[in-house]
Amino acid sequence: MSQPLWQPSQTEIEATQMHALMQRINREHGIEIRDYSALHAWSVDNLEAFWQLVWEDSDVLADTQGDTVLERPDAMPGARWFPHARLNFAANLLRRRDQHPALIACDERGRRQQLSYAELYDQVAKLAHALRGSGVTAGDRVAGFVPNSEHAIIGMLATASLGAVWSSCSPDFGFNGVLDRFGQIQPKVLIATDGYTWNGKPIDTRERVAQISGAIESLNQVVIFPFLHDEADTHGIDKAVAWHDYLNNAATEIEFDPQPFDHPLYILYSSGTTGAPKCIVHSAGGTLLQHLKEHRLHTDLRADDVLFYYTTCGWMMWNWLVSGLACGATLVLFDGSPFAPAPDVLWSLTEREGITVFGTSAKYIAACEKEGLKPGRSHDLGRLRAVLSTGSALAHESFDYVYRDIKPNLLLASISGGTDIVSCFALGCPIRPVYRGQLQCRGLGMAVDVFDDNGRPLREEKGELVCTRPFPSMPIGFWNDPDNERYRDAYFSTFPGIWAHGDYAEITAEDGLIIHGRSDAVLNPGGVRIGTAEIYRQVEKVEGVLESLCIGQEWGDDLRVVLFVRLQPGVELDDPLRDEIRRTIRTNTSPRHVPARIIQVSDIPRTLSGKIVELAVRNIVHGRPVKNQDALANPEALKLYEDLPELQQ
């Protein structure tokens, strides 16, 4: 077995909420669970007992729970959790009403807005009252075209308090990208920003909001809040009112509307790079219970913690972050470039606000290392106890960087799940060691496995990431998919009755997990399956390489590996650099991994949430259309991959 990079002490283990849960299970069930593997096995074998414990230990607020935890436990999909329960999501996030900071909203311009739990409650009460006045009732949709500011959280909580459904896009989405999403769900109210700042550049969005307002006929009201300017300007925007005027009422109490456990709460969207985005509907109860489990048990989040995640409101990590309010913690929000106004802006934020749990993407951690940042030396990170990373596989070298240059004594949790489940399949574990390159554990209550093509479980071999039993945060379904046909096809067509997530993964000897890339991007030269993450990890070790993208190009009667690299400024791809890249890949993987072609590009196309789009590049290389380029942050980059002479020979 590998040597751990970090290991909690016995004292630290015994202080965790996860350890307390183990002790309770042992006491009440007359068993002796001693480690995480045994705890996970028990939670999967005893789904109803486990999720009942999560409900009780998290003190879920509900009008009623009912006697049934799981109805139709063998149905995938079709199982129903807590079918007789009635609760309100917002009530659980707003149970704290004191002067403790709830939100600290910052941006790259230096803006800082702090709201206590009492102030947050007051703002939500006023907006909820106004939304009722606009005709919003349970089941209606409220859409947010919003930066990561306090307005987005107030908007979501007010919407949820009414039993209505919240759906948001970040303001860097273009008109067509917004319409592809909100146009499908027909919102009754749109809450929108007047602009935002990115990398020092102010971007006014009022013209785009006017276009959106004019194109969505279902809207009764458009609420504009000032984020770029000092005052909200509603001129020329149909049905628009300023945020301040809209909330100018005397409401002091929130009438929380209790709904069934599986009542819709959020609509999230697939990336939409292969067609119109799928509108994924998540339930209030399932989201709440799953996030409480992940925050309290896997992150050991408490009321004195300060939780930060670098995210936009178009990524599910925003929804995950907001649920930290249910633990009574303080949330730190940041809007803007993570390297503006200075490369260390997020580490300065961590020092200033006393952040204890810092969440980001694997790409950001790699970029910090490339930038030469050493936050552990340049900043006081005394309160920081955990770093979370997602969005793509965290490279082995990034594990080394975190423990060397950020902090040697902290929990580094590489986590993985997605928009599809608004949560994680694999994530952190405060009672387990951290091993280089591995996600620490499969989530409690999640029957996660890795299957071969014939549906047989694999250990220490690569295969399809699956979940074999129901879990509370499974989507209710897709919007406008009444027979669940598209929903079943998306997750249950590979292995009937089993959730296939589309990740190419491996369960390790240490019972951790490695994600090798997306299954649909797996390379298959000569019939050997290769995850793209295996190649990226090696390429990005090479000095001068900033990042890379890898595809399989159809060639003859087989497939060849093609690697695109974006290099440091001033670096050119010459034969010695090509040789170094190939040598690094061959030495650390296999000859099958070595690309047949290596090509320098000036940009790599990404989704708006920052994920590279291998499939879109593969389509361009093969002369196929990319159906929905509005889902990309930089669609113009696709032209760099058209009709390349190097790929014609």
Side-chain angles (χ1 to χ4, degrees):
M1 291 178 70
S2 305
Q3 289 298 309
L5 296 173
W6 173 85
Q7 190 156 348
S9 68
Q10 189 60 33
T11 301
E12 289 170 328
I13 290 171
E14 291 175 1
T16 65
Q17 295 171 82
M18 187 176 282
H19 184 267
L21 175 71
M22 288 170 60
Q23 298 305 105
R24 179 178 176 184
I25 293 169
N26 289 343
R27 188 170 59 250
E28 295 182 0
H29 293 267
I31 56 180
E32 193 166 354
I33 295 173
R34 293 185 176 182
D35 60 22
Y36 184 82
S37 292
L39 177 62
H40 179 261
W42 185 89
S43 73
V44 169
D45 292 340
N46 301 271
L47 283 180
E48 295 181 51
F50 171 72
W51 288 106
Q52 175 66 31
L53 283 175
V54 174
W55 180 297
E56 292 174 3
D57 281 0
S58 302
D59 194 22
V60 171
L61 293 179
D63 280 29
T64 181
Q65 180 187 336
D67 297 327
T68 304
V69 174
L70 180 57
E71 192 175 80
R72 302 183 66 209
D74 297 324
M76 283 268 280
R80 290 192 66 204
W81 292 91
F82 298 95
H84 308 300
R86 294 186 68 84
L87 54 78
N88 186 276
F89 182 83
N92 280 274
L93 271 63
L94 290 171
R95 68 170 74 201
R96 189 168 189 173
R97 308 277 172 85
D98 59 11
Q99 295 304 314
H100 187 78
L103 307 177
I104 300 170
C106 307
D107 76 359
E108 65 173 52
R109 299 170 295 174
R111 176 185 186 272
R112 185 183 186 277
Q113 181 69 34
Q114 180 170 314
L115 290 178
S116 69
Y117 272 88
E119 290 168 330
L120 177 60
Y121 181 92
D122 181 64
Q123 291 289 299
V124 173
K126 292 180 184 302
L127 181 55
H129 179 81
L131 290 173
R132 281 190 193 275
S134 294
V136 176
T137 60
D140 287 335
R141 278 76 61 208
V142 175
F145 183 64
V146 284
N148 188 14
S149 70
E150 70 277 12
H151 309 88
I153 293 180
I154 293 165
M156 182 280 288
L157 290 170
T159 299
S161 75
L162 305 175
V165 186
W166 174 259
S167 189
S168 58
C169 289
S170 56
D172 54 351
F173 278 65
F175 167 69
N176 289 325
V178 175
L179 197 60
D180 283 346
R181 290 159 173 78
F182 295 164
Q184 293 189 65
I185 67 170
Q186 295 296 291
K188 192 169 278 187
V189 172
L190 173 67
I191 297 174
T193 183
D194 65 351
Y196 64 101
T197 305
W198 179 261
N199 204 23
K201 180 183 177 182
I203 300 168
D204 195 307
T205 57
R206 289 174 294 187
E207 184 177 337
R208 213 176 320 154
V209 173
Q211 281 184 289
I212 296 165
S213 173
I216 300 178
E217 295 180 0
S218 59
L219 289 173
N220 290 349
Q221 192 80 72
V222 178
V223 185
I224 309 292
F225 61 85
F227 190 69
L228 182 62
H229 304 94
D230 293 334
E231 295 183 4
D233 180 3
T234 61
H235 180 72
I237 302 175
D238 192 32
K239 302 171 185 174
V241 61
W243 172 275
H244 179 268
D245 295 334
Y246 194 60
L247 271 64
N248 189 20
N249 60 67
T252 57
E253 295 295 326
I254 304 173
E255 298 175 32
F256 294 108
D257 192 352
Q259 297 292 333
F261 187 89
D262 58 3
H263 183 74
L265 168 71
Y266 290 135
I267 296 176
L268 275 61
Y269 304 95
S270 65
S271 60
T273 53
T274 56
K278 295 188 290 286
C279 306
I280 305 170
V281 186
H282 288 291
S283 71
T287 302
L288 176 67
L289 208 59
Q290 180 80 319
H291 287 182
L292 282 167
K293 178 206 75 177
E294 294 186 346
H295 286 162
R296 289 178 178 270
L297 299 178
H298 288 277
T299 316
D300 204 39
L301 195 69
R302 302 170 189 268
D304 60 352
D305 271 309
V306 180
L307 174 63
F308 167 77
Y309 218 105
Y310 178 73
T311 181
T312 71
C313 297
W315 190 23
M316 55 95 13
M317 292 313 302
W318 179 84
N319 307 78
W320 191 91
L321 169 67
V322 175
S323 292
L325 295 170
C327 296
T330 299
L331 308 187
V332 175
L333 317 175
F334 182 83
D335 192 78
S337 165
F339 291 98
D344 64 347
V345 61
L346 297 187
W347 300 111
S348 296
L349 182 72
T350 302
E351 177 179 356
R352 186 178 74 238
E353 305 299 347
I355 290 169
T356 58
V357 180
F358 179 100
T360 186
S361 65
K363 179 190 170 191
Y364 173 77
I365 293 175
C368 283
E369 183 175 15
K370 295 274 187 183
E371 192 74 29
L373 299 184
K374 300 182 186 298
R377 299 183 194 177
S378 57
H379 294 76
D380 180 359
L381 306 180
R383 293 205 68 208
L384 184 65
R385 62 173 181 80
V387 170
L388 315 182
S389 168
T390 192
S392 59
L394 185 64
H396 293 53
E397 292 72 24
S398 290
F399 280 76
D400 300 335
Y401 169 70
V402 168
Y403 284 108
R404 181 184 67 242
D405 291 329
I406 296 179
K407 194 172 184 178
N409 184 27
L410 56 69
L411 173 67
L412 172 57
S414 179
I415 67 179
S416 182
T419 298
D420 318 77
I421 63 169
V422 74
S423 59
C424 303
F425 280 124
L427 66 171
C429 180
I431 67 171
R432 248 190 179 178
V434 173
Y435 291 97
R436 190 172 185 258
Q438 297 188 29
L439 289 73
Q440 279 182 290
C441 68
R442 292 169 281 169
L444 291 173
M446 308 290 280
V448 176
D449 213 328
V450 172
F451 278 8
D452 67 13
D453 291 344
N454 297 312
R456 294 183 297 240
L458 296 171
R459 292 296 178 271
E460 298 182 61
E461 293 184 54
K462 301 161 192 169
E464 298 290 331
L465 181 70
V466 300
C467 194
T468 62
R469 301 198 67 191
F471 51 94
S473 65
M474 290 173 65
I476 302 168
F478 294 164
W479 195 258
N480 291 329
D481 184 26
D483 298 324
N484 275 341
E485 183 178 344
R486 288 188 299 137
Y487 176 42
R488 289 178 182 275
D489 183 62
Y491 307 114
F492 303 98
S493 59
T494 306
F495 305 109
I498 288 174
W499 179 291
H501 193 57
D503 278 343
Y504 191 48
E506 175 185 356
I507 295 174
T508 68
E510 295 81 14
D511 196 31
L513 200 74
I514 298 173
I515 305 293
H516 293 288
R518 292 292 296 171
S519 298
D520 54 12
V522 163
L523 310 174
N524 200 20
V528 178
R529 299 187 81 194
I530 296 171
T532 53
E534 301 173 68
I535 294 177
Y536 299 149
R537 177 193 159 200
Q538 303 307 325
V539 176
E540 289 164 28
K541 288 179 182 178
V542 176
E543 189 174 350
V545 177
L546 281 175
E547 57 182 349
S548 57
L549 182 148
C550 197
I551 66 163
Q553 183 193 12
E554 296 163 9
W555 194 251
D557 58 357
D558 198 1
L559 176 146
R560 66 180 182 180
V561 178
V562 176
L563 178 69
F564 300 96
V565 291
R566 186 167 76 90
L567 304 179
Q568 296 271 15
V571 178
E572 292 296 325
L573 182 64
D574 54 17
D575 286 341
L577 184 52
R578 282 191 178 90
D579 290 343
E580 184 182 356
I581 291 170
R582 288 194 172 103
R583 185 170 58 252
T584 302
I585 294 171
R586 181 182 289 107
T587 302
N588 294 294
T589 55
S590 80
R592 289 281 188 186
H593 291 70
V594 177
R597 294 287 183 270
I598 304 175
I599 300 169
Q600 182 174 355
V601 289
S602 58
D603 201 3
I604 287 179
R606 298 180 176 279
T607 66
L608 287 159
S609 60
K611 296 182 179 180
I612 64 173
V613 286
E614 292 129 326
L615 294 185
V617 170
R618 193 169 74 193
N619 284 343
I620 290 289
V621 164
H622 290 103
R624 300 166 191 152
V626 177
K627 295 180 181 178
N628 191 358
Q629 297 191 22
D630 288 314
L632 301 181
N634 53 342
E636 67 283 354
L638 289 175
K639 293 189 179 298
L640 301 172
Y641 300 82
E642 291 179 354
D643 303 321
L644 294 173
E646 300 98 316
L647 298 183
Q648 311 307 315
Q649 54 191 12

Short mmCIF file of all heavy atoms in Angstrom, two decimals, residues 74-78 451-456 464-470 474 487-501:
data_model
loop_
_atom_site.label_atom_id
_atom_site.label_comp_id
_atom_site.label_asym_id
_atom_site.label_seq_id
_atom_site.Cartn_x
_atom_site.Cartn_y
_atom_site.Cartn_z
N ASP A 74 -36.09 -1.26 -4.27
CA ASP A 74 -35.40 -1.96 -5.35
C ASP A 74 -35.60 -1.30 -6.70
O ASP A 74 -35.13 -1.81 -7.72
CB ASP A 74 -35.88 -3.42 -5.42
CG ASP A 74 -35.53 -4.19 -4.16
OD1 ASP A 74 -34.45 -3.93 -3.59
OD2 ASP A 74 -36.34 -5.03 -3.72
N ALA A 75 -36.31 -0.16 -6.73
CA ALA A 75 -36.60 0.51 -8.01
C ALA A 75 -35.53 1.56 -8.30
O ALA A 75 -35.30 2.47 -7.51
CB ALA A 75 -37.98 1.16 -7.95
N MET A 76 -34.90 1.42 -9.45
CA MET A 76 -33.89 2.40 -9.91
C MET A 76 -34.17 2.71 -11.37
O MET A 76 -33.82 1.89 -12.24
CB MET A 76 -32.48 1.84 -9.76
CG MET A 76 -31.94 1.85 -8.36
SD MET A 76 -31.00 3.35 -7.97
CE MET A 76 -29.41 3.01 -8.70
N PRO A 77 -34.76 3.86 -11.71
CA PRO A 77 -35.32 4.85 -10.79
C PRO A 77 -36.71 4.42 -10.31
O PRO A 77 -37.23 3.42 -10.77
CB PRO A 77 -35.42 6.09 -11.68
CG PRO A 77 -35.68 5.55 -13.05
CD PRO A 77 -34.91 4.26 -13.12
N GLY A 78 -37.27 5.20 -9.41
CA GLY A 78 -38.61 4.93 -8.92
C GLY A 78 -38.72 4.82 -7.41
O GLY A 78 -39.82 4.89 -6.86
N PHE A 451 -17.67 -1.09 -12.50
CA PHE A 451 -18.04 -2.29 -13.25
C PHE A 451 -17.23 -2.41 -14.53
O PHE A 451 -16.84 -1.40 -15.13
CB PHE A 451 -19.52 -2.22 -13.64
CG PHE A 451 -20.49 -2.64 -12.57
CD1 PHE A 451 -20.08 -2.90 -11.27
CD2 PHE A 451 -21.85 -2.76 -12.87
CE1 PHE A 451 -20.99 -3.28 -10.29
CE2 PHE A 451 -22.76 -3.14 -11.91
CZ PHE A 451 -22.33 -3.41 -10.61
N ASP A 452 -17.03 -3.67 -14.96
CA ASP A 452 -16.52 -3.89 -16.30
C ASP A 452 -17.69 -3.82 -17.29
O ASP A 452 -18.83 -3.58 -16.90
CB ASP A 452 -15.74 -5.20 -16.40
CG ASP A 452 -16.60 -6.46 -16.22
OD1 ASP A 452 -17.86 -6.36 -16.26
OD2 ASP A 452 -16.03 -7.54 -16.04
N ASP A 453 -17.41 -4.06 -18.56
CA ASP A 453 -18.44 -3.92 -19.59
C ASP A 453 -19.58 -4.92 -19.41
O ASP A 453 -20.68 -4.72 -19.93
CB ASP A 453 -17.84 -4.08 -20.98
CG ASP A 453 -16.93 -2.92 -21.36
OD1 ASP A 453 -17.01 -1.87 -20.69
OD2 ASP A 453 -16.14 -3.07 -22.31
N ASN A 454 -19.33 -6.00 -18.67
CA ASN A 454 -20.35 -7.02 -18.46
C ASN A 454 -21.07 -6.86 -17.13
O ASN A 454 -21.83 -7.75 -16.72
CB ASN A 454 -19.71 -8.41 -18.54
CG ASN A 454 -19.13 -8.69 -19.91
OD1 ASN A 454 -19.79 -8.47 -20.92
ND2 ASN A 454 -17.88 -9.16 -19.95
N GLY A 455 -20.83 -5.74 -16.44
CA GLY A 455 -21.53 -5.48 -15.18
C GLY A 455 -20.95 -6.22 -13.99
O GLY A 455 -21.65 -6.40 -12.98
N ARG A 456 -19.68 -6.61 -14.07
CA ARG A 456 -19.04 -7.27 -12.93
C ARG A 456 -18.17 -6.29 -12.17
O ARG A 456 -17.43 -5.50 -12.79
CB ARG A 456 -18.19 -8.45 -13.41
CG ARG A 456 -19.01 -9.59 -14.01
CD ARG A 456 -18.09 -10.75 -14.40
NE ARG A 456 -17.14 -10.37 -15.43
CZ ARG A 456 -17.06 -10.95 -16.63
NH1 ARG A 456 -17.88 -11.94 -16.94
NH2 ARG A 456 -16.15 -10.56 -17.51
N GLU A 464 -16.40 1.37 -15.38
CA GLU A 464 -17.48 2.36 -15.31
C GLU A 464 -17.90 2.61 -13.86
O GLU A 464 -18.17 1.66 -13.11
CB GLU A 464 -18.70 1.88 -16.10
CG GLU A 464 -18.45 1.68 -17.58
CD GLU A 464 -18.23 2.99 -18.31
OE1 GLU A 464 -18.79 4.02 -17.87
OE2 GLU A 464 -17.51 3.00 -19.33
N LEU A 465 -17.96 3.89 -13.48
CA LEU A 465 -18.44 4.25 -12.15
C LEU A 465 -19.95 4.10 -12.11
O LEU A 465 -20.67 4.69 -12.94
CB LEU A 465 -18.05 5.69 -11.82
CG LEU A 465 -18.47 6.20 -10.44
CD1 LEU A 465 -17.66 5.53 -9.35
CD2 LEU A 465 -18.33 7.71 -10.35
N VAL A 466 -20.46 3.32 -11.16
CA VAL A 466 -21.90 3.07 -11.06
C VAL A 466 -22.36 3.25 -9.62
O VAL A 466 -21.54 3.31 -8.69
CB VAL A 466 -22.26 1.64 -11.53
CG1 VAL A 466 -21.86 1.43 -12.98
CG2 VAL A 466 -21.63 0.58 -10.63
N CYS A 467 -23.68 3.33 -9.46
CA CYS A 467 -24.28 3.28 -8.12
C CYS A 467 -25.42 2.27 -8.20
O CYS A 467 -26.32 2.41 -9.05
CB CYS A 467 -24.79 4.65 -7.70
SG CYS A 467 -25.17 4.76 -5.93
N THR A 468 -25.37 1.27 -7.36
CA THR A 468 -26.25 0.12 -7.51
C THR A 468 -27.53 0.17 -6.67
O THR A 468 -28.39 -0.68 -6.83
CB THR A 468 -25.49 -1.17 -7.15
OG1 THR A 468 -25.07 -1.12 -5.78
CG2 THR A 468 -24.27 -1.34 -8.05
N ARG A 469 -27.63 1.16 -5.78
CA ARG A 469 -28.83 1.27 -4.95
C ARG A 469 -29.29 2.73 -4.91
O ARG A 469 -28.51 3.65 -5.15
CB ARG A 469 -28.56 0.77 -3.52
CG ARG A 469 -28.11 -0.69 -3.47
CD ARG A 469 -28.28 -1.27 -2.07
NE ARG A 469 -29.69 -1.38 -1.72
CZ ARG A 469 -30.14 -1.66 -0.48
NH1 ARG A 469 -29.26 -1.84 0.51
NH2 ARG A 469 -31.42 -1.74 -0.23
N PRO A 470 -30.57 2.98 -4.60
CA PRO A 470 -31.09 4.35 -4.61
C PRO A 470 -30.41 5.24 -3.56
O PRO A 470 -29.90 4.76 -2.55
CB PRO A 470 -32.57 4.17 -4.28
CG PRO A 470 -32.87 2.74 -4.51
CD PRO A 470 -31.60 2.00 -4.26
N MET A 474 -30.94 11.52 -5.98
CA MET A 474 -31.22 11.21 -7.38
C MET A 474 -32.21 12.25 -7.91
O MET A 474 -33.11 12.67 -7.19
CB MET A 474 -31.82 9.81 -7.53
CG MET A 474 -30.85 8.68 -7.26
SD MET A 474 -31.65 7.06 -7.24
CE MET A 474 -32.18 6.96 -8.94
N TYR A 487 -34.52 10.60 -19.08
CA TYR A 487 -33.86 10.38 -17.79
C TYR A 487 -33.32 8.95 -17.71
O TYR A 487 -32.15 8.73 -17.36
CB TYR A 487 -34.87 10.66 -16.68
CG TYR A 487 -34.40 10.40 -15.27
CD1 TYR A 487 -33.13 10.77 -14.83
CD2 TYR A 487 -35.25 9.79 -14.34
CE1 TYR A 487 -32.72 10.54 -13.53
CE2 TYR A 487 -34.85 9.56 -13.04
CZ TYR A 487 -33.59 9.93 -12.64
OH TYR A 487 -33.18 9.70 -11.35
N ARG A 488 -34.14 7.98 -18.05
CA ARG A 488 -33.69 6.58 -18.03
C ARG A 488 -32.55 6.35 -19.01
O ARG A 488 -31.57 5.66 -18.70
CB ARG A 488 -34.87 5.65 -18.36
CG ARG A 488 -35.91 5.55 -17.27
CD ARG A 488 -37.06 4.65 -17.70
NE ARG A 488 -38.09 4.59 -16.67
CZ ARG A 488 -38.07 3.76 -15.63
NH1 ARG A 488 -37.06 2.91 -15.51
NH2 ARG A 488 -39.03 3.77 -14.73
N ASP A 489 -32.67 6.95 -20.18
CA ASP A 489 -31.64 6.77 -21.19
C ASP A 489 -30.30 7.36 -20.74
O ASP A 489 -29.24 6.82 -21.05
CB ASP A 489 -32.09 7.42 -22.51
CG ASP A 489 -31.08 7.19 -23.62
OD1 ASP A 489 -30.84 6.02 -23.98
OD2 ASP A 489 -30.52 8.18 -24.13
N ALA A 490 -30.36 8.47 -20.00
CA ALA A 490 -29.14 9.15 -19.58
C ALA A 490 -28.33 8.34 -18.56
O ALA A 490 -27.09 8.33 -18.61
CB ALA A 490 -29.48 10.52 -18.99
N TYR A 491 -29.00 7.64 -17.64
CA TYR A 491 -28.29 7.02 -16.53
C TYR A 491 -28.49 5.50 -16.40
O TYR A 491 -27.70 4.84 -15.73
CB TYR A 491 -28.70 7.66 -15.21
CG TYR A 491 -28.56 9.17 -15.22
CD1 TYR A 491 -29.69 9.98 -15.13
CD2 TYR A 491 -27.32 9.77 -15.35
CE1 TYR A 491 -29.58 11.37 -15.15
CE2 TYR A 491 -27.20 11.15 -15.38
CZ TYR A 491 -28.33 11.94 -15.27
OH TYR A 491 -28.21 13.31 -15.31
N PHE A 492 -29.54 4.94 -17.00
CA PHE A 492 -29.88 3.54 -16.74
C PHE A 492 -29.88 2.65 -17.98
O PHE A 492 -30.31 1.51 -17.92
CB PHE A 492 -31.25 3.47 -16.04
CG PHE A 492 -31.31 4.24 -14.76
CD1 PHE A 492 -31.87 5.51 -14.72
CD2 PHE A 492 -30.78 3.72 -13.60
CE1 PHE A 492 -31.90 6.25 -13.54
CE2 PHE A 492 -30.81 4.44 -12.41
CZ PHE A 492 -31.37 5.71 -12.39
N SER A 493 -29.38 3.19 -19.09
CA SER A 493 -29.38 2.39 -20.32
C SER A 493 -28.16 1.47 -20.42
O SER A 493 -28.21 0.44 -21.10
CB SER A 493 -29.44 3.31 -21.55
OG SER A 493 -28.33 4.21 -21.56
N THR A 494 -27.06 1.81 -19.76
CA THR A 494 -25.85 0.98 -19.82
C THR A 494 -26.03 -0.31 -19.04
O THR A 494 -25.77 -1.41 -19.54
CB THR A 494 -24.64 1.75 -19.28
OG1 THR A 494 -24.51 3.00 -19.97
CG2 THR A 494 -23.35 0.94 -19.45
N PHE A 495 -26.50 -0.18 -17.79
CA PHE A 495 -26.78 -1.32 -16.92
C PHE A 495 -28.19 -1.13 -16.37
O PHE A 495 -28.38 -0.31 -15.45
CB PHE A 495 -25.77 -1.41 -15.76
CG PHE A 495 -24.33 -1.45 -16.19
CD1 PHE A 495 -23.50 -0.36 -15.98
CD2 PHE A 495 -23.80 -2.58 -16.80
CE1 PHE A 495 -22.17 -0.39 -16.37
CE2 PHE A 495 -22.47 -2.61 -17.19
CZ PHE A 495 -21.65 -1.53 -16.97
N PRO A 496 -29.20 -1.82 -16.88
CA PRO A 496 -30.58 -1.61 -16.43
C PRO A 496 -30.72 -1.72 -14.92
O PRO A 496 -30.19 -2.65 -14.29
CB PRO A 496 -31.35 -2.73 -17.15
CG PRO A 496 -30.54 -2.99 -18.38
CD PRO A 496 -29.10 -2.81 -17.97
N GLY A 497 -31.40 -0.72 -14.33
CA GLY A 497 -31.63 -0.72 -12.89
C GLY A 497 -30.43 -0.25 -12.07
O GLY A 497 -30.48 -0.28 -10.84
N ILE A 498 -29.37 0.20 -12.74
CA ILE A 498 -28.16 0.66 -12.04
C ILE A 498 -27.75 1.99 -12.65
O ILE A 498 -27.72 2.15 -13.87
CB ILE A 498 -27.03 -0.38 -12.17
CG1 ILE A 498 -27.36 -1.60 -11.30
CG2 ILE A 498 -25.68 0.21 -11.77
CD1 ILE A 498 -26.39 -2.75 -11.46
N TRP A 499 -27.43 2.94 -11.80
CA TRP A 499 -27.00 4.26 -12.25
C TRP A 499 -25.57 4.17 -12.80
O TRP A 499 -24.64 3.80 -12.08
CB TRP A 499 -27.03 5.25 -11.08
CG TRP A 499 -26.59 6.64 -11.39
CD1 TRP A 499 -25.33 7.06 -11.70
CD2 TRP A 499 -27.41 7.82 -11.42
NE1 TRP A 499 -25.31 8.40 -11.92
CE2 TRP A 499 -26.57 8.90 -11.75
CE3 TRP A 499 -28.76 8.06 -11.20
CZ2 TRP A 499 -27.04 10.21 -11.86
CZ3 TRP A 499 -29.24 9.36 -11.29
CH2 TRP A 499 -28.38 10.42 -11.62
N ALA A 500 -25.39 4.48 -14.08
CA ALA A 500 -24.06 4.58 -14.68
C ALA A 500 -23.75 6.05 -14.89
O ALA A 500 -24.44 6.74 -15.63
CB ALA A 500 -24.01 3.81 -16.00
N HIS A 501 -22.70 6.53 -14.23
CA HIS A 501 -22.49 7.97 -14.15
C HIS A 501 -21.73 8.54 -15.33
O HIS A 501 -21.78 9.75 -15.56
CB HIS A 501 -21.75 8.30 -12.85
CG HIS A 501 -21.74 9.76 -12.52
ND1 HIS A 501 -22.91 10.48 -12.39
CD2 HIS A 501 -20.73 10.64 -12.31
CE1 HIS A 501 -22.62 11.74 -12.10
NE2 HIS A 501 -21.30 11.86 -12.06
#
